[in-house]
Amino acid sequence: MWGMIATWRMALEGVTKGAGMLEQGADAGDAVEAAIREVEDFPYYKSVGYGGLPNEDMEVELDAAYMDGDTLDVGAVAAIRDYANPVSIARRLSREKVNSVLVGEGAERFAHKEGFERKNMLTDRAKAFYRKRKKEDEQELRPYAGHDTVGMVCLDCKGKMTAATSTSGLFMKKKGRVGDSPIVGSGFYADSKVGGASATGLGEDLMKGCISYEIVRLMKEGLHPQEACERAVGLLDRELKERRGKAGDLSLIAMNNKGEWGVATNIQGFSFAVASWGEEPKVYLVTPGEDSRCTFEEASQEWMEDYMRTRMAPVEE
Ligand code: GLY
């Protein structure tokens, strides 16, 4: 028995790679790292890794995290620049007893010392998006339409669970801004005795609910991952609206240690990728409904083709 679930269509190639590894008996840490690296390396995903959109100073600052659900080891980097695969640095940090969450220059110094690949992560395409946004003078920072953080939860044949995330955060964020993705309990959580969860959306709001931990806590109480996701997302969405007038984008994926999975969102357009011992890698589209209930259906061939076409279309400045 094995499984892997991830936020957004952009994770499909990574999930396919990870699923192939898990089928061969790979470790959940190796599979999740390889899967996230696949997304980080693809230049047309503008919210993760190479090609990620820059902060207001035109610098690409990346956040990533890794959690081992057997040992509860956590490693994370935030606002790291010029390294190709932040998730691998996060995983390496998870083996440290102390100093396992590093930011900015400290994270870069660690990565250099450990021999991780340096790379200029700012592409010409990302620069074009930056110039376009400057002209449009948009004020409100929002997660990018259609994709943002890649977050994954993985279960291997030995019952080990892991979670990992990687993101360039909000486009035009302030230098040094950190979202939910490298924050344990908010952007991700994994406990092999229960399951794991990971988030995508507006970090500032996701953090207010420690939402990944909350989903794992609900699964520990016996809820199916689908119920746990719907309950946690519904509650946080309501609380935010009641107390603050509005809620940012909140989308979650989860899997328990039986390989059962669930998702929930408060937005239209959330997609996710999933694979397991009984299911080929597939992309589903989620529709939020009444009482936080969510329905989902497999993405059509047309949707999949259109997705790639729009991701790779020239940037009109
Ligand atoms: N969810 C990604 C971020 O807010 O940075």
Side-chain angles (χ1 to χ4, degrees), residues 140-163:
E140 198 187 3
L141 293 184
R142 291 181 54 79
Y144 323 117
H147 68 161
D148 145 81
T149 306
V150 63
M152 296 192 188
V153 175
C154 181
L155 164 71
D156 72 21
C157 293
K158 293 190 176 138
K160 173 174 167 177
M161 297 202 73
T162 54

Side-chain angles (χ1 to χ4, degrees), residues 63 148-149 167 169-170 177 179-181 200-204 206:
D63 301 340
D148 145 81
T149 306
T167 187
L170 300 184
R177 180 260 183 195
D180 59 301
S181 308
T200 176
L202 185 66
E204 283 75 357
L206 290 159

